[in-house]
Amino acid sequence: MCGIANSWFMTCKSASDLSSPFGLIAGNGSMPLEIASNARKKGLELVTVLHAGESDPALADFSKASIWVKVGQLGRILNFFRKQSVKQLVM
């Protein structure tokens, strides 16, 4: 799988290397926004899981769909990604 976050991941040859929608499990810091911005530039639809008290609310603006979760809600995260037909994700 190829990544979309500058020097931390490999760069994609084209957006077709990734499936869309692309899932993001977002924590805190600048990395989730960088990934979201690069996904948009590559024309990927982004589906985002945001963690309450951690994730930047601005990430929802980059997303086709998003939900807020608390730590430990793995079942909710998996169900959300399944309903959104996400096949690839990054966290």
Side-chain angles (χ1 to χ4, degrees):
M1 183 179 121
C2 78
I4 54 176
N6 288 347
S7 62
W8 294 285
F9 296 96
M10 300 182 315
T11 55
C12 297
K13 294 176 185 164
S14 71
S16 63
D17 292 341
L18 292 171
S19 63
S20 191
F22 185 75
L24 171 62
I25 299 175
N28 59 16
S30 62
M31 179 72 79
L33 280 171
E34 186 174 341
I35 291 170
S37 176
N38 286 331
R40 179 179 279 174
K41 288 176 189 172
K42 291 186 177 293
L44 293 169
E45 288 184 333
L46 188 66
V47 174
T48 307
V49 171
L50 304 149
H51 281 86
E54 295 290 327
S55 302
D56 187 333
L59 285 163
D61 296 336
F62 287 89
S63 304
K64 169 188 158 191
S66 62
I67 60 166
W68 286 93
V69 299
K70 295 178 183 174
V71 173
Q73 292 184 302
L74 181 59
R76 186 166 183 228
I77 293 169
L78 294 174
N79 287 335
F80 174 69
F81 283 142
R82 280 188 201 115
K83 287 179 184 175
Q84 297 297 323
S85 301
V86 170
K87 303 290 186 219
Q88 295 177 326
L89 64 93
V90 66
M91 62 183 282

